[in-house]
């Protein structure tokens, strides 16, 4: 799986958006806007590409529909030589009918050849139709949506491959917008240790959580932190 991220807008556009809401000049930074999650954060647009991402992982990312437009390999039967599952089943059924006909006629050599053809076809189904089949996925997405997506897709309750993909997205985002990457954290970190999952993984009770939470909180000022916040040792 390969992940790439490109950014198409900048801080100047964010500030201009701010200036549309009041009379004067904006001095906001990207980090400030991302921390507050005010609407100008949505001016920051990114193009994310996944290549050879498992189909089910792509599906997880497509479920995020607010502030993001997905473009996924469709695997249509009339495009790029892709064949739908029902067409493949009909093809095998037809071959089985031919196989039975040749067996009844005593044509063993032809029957053996057909059996080999059918076996090869069935073996190829794992690659063509399995949930792990690799696809391409492009996301046109804004900064706020990336923050929201990270809450769920960095969570330990996500699939391990989905977490891996989200971590790669975060790493690539850091190359083009370091401030945004700092705000892309799992939900329990975002919520200050609260987990809303029906069956919690209990990561919020581990030293690793305390470390991640401390890194997240370090971005905020003393005035922004809760009154009883204590920095981990």
């Amino acid at each position: 799986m390969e992940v790439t991220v490109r950014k198409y807008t900048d801080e100047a556009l964010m500030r201009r958006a701010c200036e549309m809401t009041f009379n004067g000049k904006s001095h906001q930074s990207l980090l400030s806007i991302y921390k507050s999650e005010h609407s100008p954060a949505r001016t920051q647009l990114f193009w994310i590409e996944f290549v050879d991402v498992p189909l089910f992982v792509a599906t997880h990312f497509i479920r995020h529909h607010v502030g993001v437009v997905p473009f996924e390999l469709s695997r249509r039967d009339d495009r790029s030589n892709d064949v739908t599952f029902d067409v493949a089943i009909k093809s095998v059924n037809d071959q089985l009918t031919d196989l039975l006909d040749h067996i009844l006629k005593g044509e063993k050599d032809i029957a053996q050849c057909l059996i080999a053809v059918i076996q090869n076809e069935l073996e190829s189904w794992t690659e063509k139709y399995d949930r792990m089949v690799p696809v391409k996925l492009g996301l046109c997405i804004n900064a706020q949506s990336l923050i929201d997506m990270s809450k769920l897709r960095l969570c330990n309750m996500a699939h391990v491959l989905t977490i891996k993909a989200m971590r790669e997205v975060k790493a690539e985002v850091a190359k083009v917008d370091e401030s945004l990457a700092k705000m892309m954290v799992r939900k329990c970190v975002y919520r200050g240790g609260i987990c809303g999952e029906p069956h919690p993984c209990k990561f919020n009770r581990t030293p690793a959580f305390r470390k991640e939470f401390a890194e997240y909180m370090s971005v905020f000022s003393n005035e922004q932190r809760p009154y009883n916040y204590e920095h981990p040792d």
Side-chain angles (χ1 to χ4, degrees), residues 43-229:
T43 65
Q44 302 305 293
L45 300 179
F46 301 79
W47 173 254
I48 302 175
E49 287 188 8
F50 299 84
V51 178
D52 292 334
V53 61
L55 176 61
F56 81 94
V57 174
T59 300
H60 289 166
F61 284 100
I62 288 176
R63 286 177 180 168
H64 298 269
H65 62 282
V66 178
V68 53
V69 181
F71 302 87
E72 185 190 17
L73 180 65
S74 64
R75 302 192 68 83
R76 289 173 49 166
D77 61 342
D78 60 343
R79 301 281 178 87
S80 304
N81 298 318
D82 282 339
V83 179
T84 58
F85 194 48
D86 57 338
V87 172
I89 290 176
K90 183 180 184 303
S91 174
V92 171
N93 281 335
D94 291 342
Q95 293 177 67
L96 288 172
T97 300
D98 290 341
L99 174 61
L100 178 60
D101 183 57
H102 289 297
I103 290 175
L104 292 175
K105 291 179 179 179
E107 299 171 344
K108 294 183 179 180
D109 291 344
I110 297 178
Q112 288 177 344
C113 289
L114 273 175
I115 289 173
V117 170
I118 293 170
Q119 287 176 331
N120 288 335
E121 176 65 19
L122 293 176
E123 288 174 358
S124 73
W125 282 14
T126 298
E127 181 178 336
K128 290 180 180 178
Y129 308 112
D130 187 77
R131 61 195 288 272
M132 292 295 295
V133 63
V135 297
K136 297 182 294 183
L137 173 65
L139 300 177
C140 184
I141 187 169
N142 69 52
Q144 181 63 59
S145 297
L146 276 168
I147 292 172
D148 294 337
M149 182 182 286
S150 298
K151 297 172 191 174
L152 295 177
R153 301 311 172 190
L154 289 176
C155 172
N156 282 347
M157 300 308 292
H159 192 280
V160 62
L161 292 182
T162 303
I163 296 172
K164 180 178 183 295
M166 193 69 233
R167 286 176 177 172
E168 291 191 26
V169 169
K170 180 176 179 177
E172 291 300 310
V173 167
K175 296 177 182 179
V176 295
D177 193 331
E178 185 178 1
S179 295
L180 177 58
K182 292 178 180 178
M183 295 294 102
M184 293 170 61
V185 296
R186 61 183 96 201
K187 188 180 287 188
C188 62
V189 172
Y190 179 85
R191 287 180 167 178
I194 298 174
C195 177
E197 291 292 326
H199 304 287
C201 73
K202 300 181 181 179
F203 174 77
N204 57 350
R205 302 181 182 183
T206 67
F209 165 80
R210 289 175 61 81
K211 180 180 178 182
E212 283 191 25
F213 185 61
E215 291 174 353
Y216 182 60
M217 291 296 288
S218 69
V219 180
F220 296 85
S221 68
N222 287 331
E223 291 78 12
Q224 292 172 324
R225 297 171 186 163
Y227 75 94
N228 60 345
Y229 174 73

Side-chain angles (χ1 to χ4, degrees), residues 15-32:
R15 287 178 176 170
R16 189 57 181 161
C18 291
E19 291 166 359
M20 293 295 102
T21 66
F22 69 95
N23 292 321
K25 296 292 291 182
S26 171
H27 301 286
Q28 291 282 350
S29 66
L30 286 175
L31 182 59
S32 175

